Amino acid sequence: GEDVEQSLFLSVREGDSSVINCTYTDSSSTYLYWYKQEPGAGLQLLTYIFSNMDMKQDQRLTVLLNKKDKHLSLRIADTQTGDSAIYFCAEAHSGTYKYIFGTGTRLKVLA
Amino acid sequence: DTEVTQTPKHLVMGMTNKKSLKCEQHMGHRAMYWYKQKAKKPPELMFVYSYEKLSINESVPSRFSPECPNSSLLNLHLHALQPEDSALYLCASSQDHQEGYEQYFGPGTRLTVT
């Protein structure tokens, strides 16, 4: 199918690292994004990566991109209870405005 | 400032009502979007406005009518909705509608149709 796939659920202990994975659909996608959505709220842009990069680090967040496998991951270091939320990856296809969102991963951080 | 505001936060309406959702941004963005999000699902694009003109309608039923009065405001007029239209409606904006410009989302309006 054409879905951008994410695992549904991830549970980690406070202070551990979290890794959220995303398999996207189009090898020509030029921008890939990570958004966070807390309950009852909108989507908060966390970070993004351009397709000519393999890795991007921003404070506790590390994004890894494997273009060959069309695999994107978001690592959150020192995960806190405030990181509990749903995380969506999104790809922007070359030449279009349109985001294709992943199915979302619910991260639960245990104290 | 990367804030997109939406009003109201919650809305309950009957199937014969007419109501409007409002969205505002003051980031100078020239593209604005309406999304619909059902529970536990990703957002689905409804409309895109670029430079105050409707550029994309993702085959949305005519009971949803968007309007962009100026570059900072986006409305969604609702009429004769169905219970299955109950969802979180998200507004977003970006500097331009071309690829590479990240979209910033508002907090959403939780709509319930009775």
Side-chain angles (χ1 to χ4, degrees), chain A residues 30-31 33 35 37 40-43 45 48 88 93-99 101-102 106, chain B residues 35 37 40-43 45 48 56 58 88 90 97 99-107:
Chain A
T30 46
Y31 289 88
Y33 304 85
Y35 283 86
Q37 187 174 33
L43 276 68
L45 176 66
Y48 64 92
F88 291 99
H93 288 188
S94 178
T96 79
Y97 60 90
K98 191 170 178 176
Y99 280 17
F101 282 93
R106 182 177 297 275
Chain B
Y35 287 86
Q37 186 181 25
K40 302 186 192 309
K41 297 289 186 183
L45 183 66
V48 180
I56 299 292
E58 291 282 328
L88 182 68
L90 294 164
H97 74 289
E99 64 176 308
Y101 290 108
E102 56 272 22
Q103 295 181 23
Y104 294 92
F105 285 79

